[in-house]
Structures are given as C-alpha cells and as structure tokens.
Amino acid sequence: MSGRGSGASGDPAIVGTPPAVSRTVFAAAHVVADPFADTTPEGPAAIDWDATLAFRHHLWSHGLGVAEAMDTAQRGMGLDWSSAAELIRRSAAEAAATGGRIACGVGTDQLTAAEVSLVDIRAAYEEQLSLAEGAGAQAIVMASRHLAATATGPEPYVEIYGHLLRQAAAPVILHWLGPMFDPALQGYWGSPDLDLATETFLQIIAEHPAKVDGVKVSLLDADREVQLRRRLPKGVRCYTGDDFHYPELIAGDAHGFSDALLGIFDPLAPLAAEAVRVLNGGDTAGFRKLLDPTVALSRHLFRSPTRYYKTGVVLLAWLAGHQSHFTMVGGLQSARSLPHLKRAYELADDLDLFPDPELAADRMRRLASVNGGTE
C-alpha cells in the first residue's frame, strides 16, 4: 500500500534507548490497516505499511524488541499469510537497518484445505521457518490450529516440533498459546489436561535444549508459569505472555524470573521500558510501583472473550497519535462495545499514556459521537 492515511507520529526511526539488560523484553506489535482499501472482513488484508513500520520504530526507540506477525498483529484474525510474510520481510529489514531486535511468528496458516495431513503441517512450518530465518529474524514457533485439529495425542507434537528444532539455524522461541486466546488450540500438546500437556512440552524442550532460546507461555495462570519455568533446562528462558500477572512474573522470586513477550507492551511501551530500566538498576520495588498500576488496563483489554483484546490495543494507538484512524484489518474495530472502549480510554488516561491528552480526548469524543453517544 502507498501508506495513505498513516498520520504516524512519535519517535524518530532510530533505536534511541539502550535495550533492557536485566530482562529480555519483546512487545508484540499490532498492524495498521489501510482505511482506504476496498476489501472485506474476509480479506485480503490491506496494510498501511508506513504507519505499521513507524510503530515498530516507536517500540525500538524505547529499547524494546518487536515480536512480529503474532496474535497481536491479528494473525489468523484478519492477517492472512501472504500479508504476514510481507510484514515479516519488511519489519526484519527495518530491524537490520536500525539495530532493533526482532522475532517473528512462524506457523501453518498458509494451509487452506478443510483437511490436512501431518506431512502438510510439517511442510507449512518449514516454509515459514525458512522465510523468517532468511529475513534475518529469530523464529517464534507458534501453536498451529491445524496441528491441534489433526493430532490425536502427544506423539505428532514431539515428531513435528523435534523436526523443526533440528532444522532451525538458531535457537527459537516456542509459543504455548492457550484457548482463551484462540479456542481452536484447545488440547494443545496432545491433551486437554494441562499437567499432561506440560510434560509433553517439557519433553520436546529437554530433547533439544540448544535449539530453544525460550518459551512464551500465554495461559493466564501465574502459578503454572512459575512451576514451568522452574523446570526448564538451564539457559532456556521463560517469556511471560500473561497479560494479567506480568509485573510479578517479570520481577520474579528467589528461584528465578520471567522475561517478557507481551501484547500489552504495545500500548504500554514507554512506561514498560522505563519500568524495566528501573529493574536494571536492581530496584524491584520501583519496577512494581511503575508497572502494577497498569494491570487494571491490561485486565480490561484482555477480558473475555480474550481474543478480541487487539481492538483495545489499536484504539489506544489511535488515541495516542500513532495512526490517523481506528480501522482494523478484518473489520475487527467492531469487536468491542463502545462502553468497553470508553473505559479503556479512561484507564489509559489515568496512566498518562497519551502524549497529547487533548488529541486523545477529542478522538474519543468523536468516536462516541459517530456511534450515537453524547460525549
């Protein structure tokens, strides 16, 4: 796309702040739709590339890594594979040019047939892994809806993930996305029993520890994440994806801590980066003082149905001036109610997240008005 309607504002297109040293921190980034494209909710996705890439520079400028083409970018909820592939290529090239850190999601969403085989699934993963690594990005091996639908037990997971890890040119991040984010992933790792699923997950990691940089856990269960991270092989990170309990998980305990790969760090980028810089200095209490008040906003955005959290994330990007419109690929701007969006605005405003509060207030008033509200 030409980049019409981007209206992107904010940070210069350089990495301006040193990255965190006490934790490895990624923000999963949203995409900016082209509001002038003639398309439908069924696609194809139409992306404003200028505004989308400008937002990646915003994240890098605060010292955060970018987790690209993930759930936050509407992967499987409006972002089709051809658009995701182009997003990976473009973002990886920008990262290489500016020195920003990037990791990209690889999955199986190019498969369109009603029924697919395990051979098809493995080949789809291979294709996407090759693209991400060829672009110069670290790979995040995402959970596959196709594998969840096809596998009848843990064995196919052990075989396919083992094959991919042996093929990977560099250590990858394995992603365990719970069904609250994607109902099609129920029973992942071969069992709906999370204890049994955890054992299969740990088996795969234990068989290939040198090829696993870390695991991203998005189950919204802090106790389970802590138990899992204590069982990881030495050198394998646990990247929290828990948008309900991230301050305590990142802060850690006497036995360890979680690094971060979070969708909520998309709207929280400046504040989250400052909190981690405080943690770099050994001030855990100061870190919690900055980050704990953000949990109310995160819990609101990620409330059930959790998979629609992207709507609130994009709303906040528009209110903050990072894009000139509140339009999403797949028409997902309609996925949350006006009262939900108004509350998201209020919580974000209480946190002083908006660089220009008057702009944010005016845009929120106009959104309410166009939807029949009075303010």
Side-chain angles (χ1 to χ4, degrees):
M1 293 296 161
S2 64
R4 296 172 298 158
S6 65
S9 66
D11 310 278
I14 58 172
V15 178
T17 302
V21 294
S22 61
R23 303 292 187 270
T24 300
V25 181
F26 290 96
H30 75 281
V31 294
V32 183
D34 180 350
F36 299 103
D38 185 8
T39 187
T40 70
E42 288 76 28
I47 297 175
D48 180 336
W49 292 111
D50 290 345
T52 293
L53 295 174
F55 192 78
R56 275 84 184 134
H57 284 286
H58 158 70
L59 297 175
W60 287 321
S61 76
H62 289 286
L64 302 179
V66 169
E68 187 58 275
M70 301 290 292
D71 189 56
T72 306
Q74 297 179 240
R75 192 76 177 266
M77 290 186 69
L79 187 73
D80 55 276
W81 165 239
S82 62
S83 298
E86 184 65 14
L87 180 63
I88 290 169
R89 294 187 193 99
R90 289 183 183 236
S91 293
E94 294 293 312
T98 61
R101 183 165 186 171
I102 190 166
C104 297
V106 303
T108 64
D109 48 330
Q110 71 270 54
L111 298 174
T112 57
E115 295 185 8
V116 297
S117 68
L118 293 174
V119 172
D120 296 329
I121 293 167
R122 188 172 77 174
Y125 264 133
E126 289 174 338
E127 177 189 357
Q128 295 200 18
L129 177 64
S130 176
L131 185 146
E133 292 191 329
Q138 182 179 18
I140 305 171
V141 181
M142 301 169 66
S144 165
R145 292 174 179 174
H146 302 95
L147 185 52
T150 304
T152 56
E155 292 80 9
Y157 293 89
V158 174
E159 191 280 325
I160 287 179
Y161 276 84
H163 176 81
L164 289 172
L165 289 171
R166 287 188 294 272
Q167 275 198 318
V172 308
I173 298 171
L174 298 181
H175 188 191
W176 187 352
L177 189 69
M180 68 288 294
F181 287 93
D182 187 343
L185 299 177
Q186 181 69 40
Y188 212 74
W189 308 114
S191 176
D193 183 318
L194 289 179
D195 291 334
L196 294 177
T198 297
E199 295 306 316
T200 300
F201 189 47
L202 287 168
Q203 176 189 342
I204 292 168
I205 298 163
E207 291 177 358
H208 310 276
K211 287 296 187 74
V212 181
D213 164 64
V215 299
K216 171 175 158 57
V217 185
S218 299
L219 298 177
L220 303 183
D221 184 334
D223 290 339
R224 184 171 293 278
E225 179 175 323
V226 169
Q227 293 168 15
L228 173 65
R229 81 185 183 199
R230 290 179 182 176
R231 297 180 62 190
L232 292 173
K234 184 178 181 180
V236 176
R237 296 181 176 92
C238 180
Y239 292 94
T240 188
D242 188 330
D243 300 278
F244 286 1
H245 307 99
Y246 52 94
E248 65 197 73
L249 290 165
I250 298 170
D253 55 30
H255 302 283
F257 57 82
S258 295
D259 294 283
L261 199 165
L262 288 162
I264 191 57
F265 279 8
D266 177 303
L268 291 183
L271 195 158
E274 176 59 25
V276 175
R277 284 193 289 274
V278 170
L279 189 59
N280 289 345
D283 184 358
T284 302
F287 166 82
R288 294 294 299 268
K289 184 177 180 180
L290 285 169
L291 214 54
D292 282 1
T294 69
V295 172
L297 171 63
S298 190
R299 284 179 173 266
H300 178 73
L301 295 182
F302 285 79
R303 80 180 191 187
S304 183
T306 302
R307 62 189 180 275
Y308 296 125
Y309 76 88
K310 298 93 164 171
T311 303
V313 167
V314 174
L315 171 81
L316 296 182
W318 173 55
L319 296 179
H322 295 296
Q323 55 194 80
S324 66
H325 59 84
F326 179 44
T327 303
M328 298 175 66
V329 297
L332 209 65
Q333 68 272 10
S334 65
R336 292 293 202 190
S337 68
L338 182 60
H340 176 92
L341 299 177
K342 289 178 69 177
R343 184 56 181 157
Y345 159 72
E346 292 166 354
L347 290 167
D349 191 46
D350 288 343
L351 293 169
D352 294 325
L353 288 186
F354 302 125
D356 185 341
E358 291 185 4
L359 173 68
D362 178 64
R363 287 183 169 184
M364 195 66 230
R365 282 193 296 267
R366 288 192 282 127
L367 178 65
S369 176
V370 80
N371 284 279
T374 58
E375 57 178 66

